Amino acid sequence: MPDLRAMCFGDLNNVVKVIHAHDEDDGEAAEADYRDAGFENQYVLEKEGQIVGVTGYKEVPSADQCYWLSWTYLQPSHQGQGLGKAMLLELLDILRSQGARKIFVKVSDYEDPEDGKIYQQALQVYQGLGFVEEVVSDDFYDEGENQIILGLYLRDDKDQLEQDPEVGEEKPIISFDGLFEIAETEGAYTFSWVVKETRKLFGKRNFSVEDLQIGLQSVQSEGGRKVFLTFPSNLPLIHSPLQSAGFKYVGQLQNYYEHGVHEFHFSHDLHNLENTPT
Ligand SMILES: CC(C)(COP(=O)(O)OP(=O)(O)OC[C@H]1O[C@@H](n2cnc3c(N)ncnc32)[C@H](O)[C@@H]1OP(=O)(O)O)[C@@H](O)C(=O)NCCC(=O)NCCS
């Protein structure tokens, strides 16, 4: 039986080869990501001394036991034989044994002109394992290439989790501190934001529609197509400026931060920037 073991630096070249065999861009992006973020909680599947698969997870910072599935690929010659499902089930068992609450995965709906929908198989495998579609972001990776996010509850108290508990609203002072193109996309940007002190000091205020418009114009001048923003669901002060600046609510990741606190997703199509009210 193939063996799932922790990934180490010496595995990098072979892991990148496995990913590259599926898609060259994915191979390059994965290599950059491993070099940048390291190998913590990343695993390789070994068969007769050869690396035939890779998977892993990353913890969501500032959230309660919530994770993202990381690069998950099998060598093409080993696909469709039950190995991918077995590898993922073992990974989910590792997470469950650590008390994990929920895991999400991002999948592209890219359709290759020659090979067709190259992530369709992965989508079907995830759905077969119980992952459920939660947010679809149109034109995320590129014009016409959408991002599908699926979520899976890892605890038995799924039904209880699905009921929304009373969660208090919070009114922190939020300001944007950066703007960057999202990795693996063509022209999709996001703004990073920070929570300032909640004390009411002179000159400190929540972000405004003008702040958003400055950010949108900067993205447009850099040639960006779209801006995607995410916020916790319990921040009532974010909605008015987002709406006035032309952002649309596109969906939510259920119970992302903690039981009852979801992640709201918003997007702005910069083709519509001229029509934004000022
Ligand atoms: C995703 C991946 C790891 C799955 O591994 P796999 O070994 O091919 O999948 P399995 O053979 O274990 O199949 C698991 C289940 O999905 C089903 N399945 C697999 N491919 C399918 C397909 N094309 N259509 C419908 N069902 C499919 C299998 O029948 C099996 O169902 P079962 O549980 O009822 O037996 C592998 O296909 C892969 O590397 N794909 C390319 C890379 C990729 O897209 N990665 C994800 C990026 S987000």
Side-chain angles (χ1 to χ4, degrees):
M1 265 305 283
D3 191 28
L4 195 68
R5 64 159 174 83
M7 178 175 169
C8 58
F9 189 73
D11 299 324
L12 182 61
N13 283 347
N14 288 328
V15 164
V16 170
K17 272 187 206 159
V18 169
I19 301 175
H20 196 270
H22 182 73
D23 183 85
E24 285 176 25
D25 291 343
D26 290 3
E28 275 174 31
E31 182 166 10
D33 185 38
Y34 287 126
R35 288 189 188 279
D36 187 42
F39 311 107
E40 197 183 354
N41 302 323
Q42 307 306 306
Y43 295 84
V44 292
L45 189 73
E46 250 182 356
K47 194 178 171 192
E48 291 152 11
Q50 301 282 318
I51 291 177
V52 296
V54 58
T55 189
Y57 59 85
K58 288 185 183 166
E59 187 166 7
V60 177
S62 315
D64 170 29
Q65 293 282 341
C66 186
Y67 299 84
W68 283 99
L69 189 71
S70 30
W71 305 98
T72 295
Y73 290 74
L74 272 189
Q75 220 168 49
S77 57
H78 287 76
Q79 289 175 17
Q81 302 161 25
L83 280 185
K85 184 178 173 184
M87 173 171 85
L88 283 164
L89 283 174
E90 197 170 337
L91 188 82
L92 298 177
D93 275 349
I94 294 171
L95 279 165
R96 283 196 185 94
S97 71
Q98 295 169 5
R101 195 172 51 80
K102 199 164 180 189
I103 184 162
F104 292 94
V105 59
K106 301 167 186 169
V107 189
S108 151
D109 70 354
Y110 177 64
E111 186 164 0
D112 186 85
E114 284 165 20
D115 300 325
K117 296 204 165 202
I118 59 171
Y119 301 103
Q120 185 65 19
Q121 181 166 347
L123 192 63
Q124 269 154 342
V125 171
Y126 297 142
Q127 284 169 335
L129 288 168
F131 280 85
V132 173
E133 186 177 300
E134 297 199 11
V135 170
V136 178
S137 295
D138 290 342
D139 304 320
F140 183 87
Y141 294 104
D142 204 345
E143 208 82 53
E145 186 184 350
N146 307 326
Q147 182 190 61
I148 304 162
I149 304 181
L150 304 106
L152 174 73
Y153 289 96
L154 293 166
R155 293 185 190 160
D156 294 336
D157 51 1
K158 173 176 180 285
D159 291 340
Q160 185 218 321
L161 277 170
E162 280 183 342
Q163 289 164 19
D164 246 354
E166 286 287 317
V167 172
E169 291 188 334
E170 291 181 17
K171 297 182 178 174
I173 296 169
I174 293 176
S175 62
F176 295 112
D177 67 344
L179 169 159
F180 56 91
E181 188 172 12
I182 302 170
E184 298 164 60
T185 72
E186 292 291 332
Y189 281 69
T190 191
F191 308 155
S192 52
W193 51 265
V194 286
V195 173
K196 302 272 186 190
E197 297 160 77
T198 45
R199 282 183 296 150
K200 284 210 183 300
L201 290 175
F202 179 73
K204 291 209 168 167
R205 57 170 176 75
N206 212 36
F207 68 80
S208 64
V209 61
E210 289 79 17
D211 296 330
L212 289 162
Q213 282 166 340
I214 290 167
L216 290 168
Q217 278 152 13
S218 303
V219 172
Q220 197 174 45
S221 68
E222 286 187 23
R225 291 178 295 111
K226 275 192 109 159
V227 176
F228 293 89
L229 294 177
T230 59
F231 291 98
S233 56
N234 59 338
L235 307 179
L237 298 182
I238 62 166
H239 295 278
S240 167
L242 284 172
Q243 199 176 8
S244 304
F247 277 85
K248 301 256 181 315
Y249 168 81
V250 290
Q252 57 183 296
L253 299 182
Q254 293 286 333
N255 300 304
Y256 181 84
Y257 289 97
E258 61 183 82
H259 183 194
V261 183
H262 319 300
E263 184 180 67
F264 281 167
H265 285 227
F266 301 88
S267 77
H268 192 297
D269 188 338
L270 289 167
H271 299 117
N272 302 329
L273 194 57
E274 299 76 36
N275 309 326
T276 305
T278 49

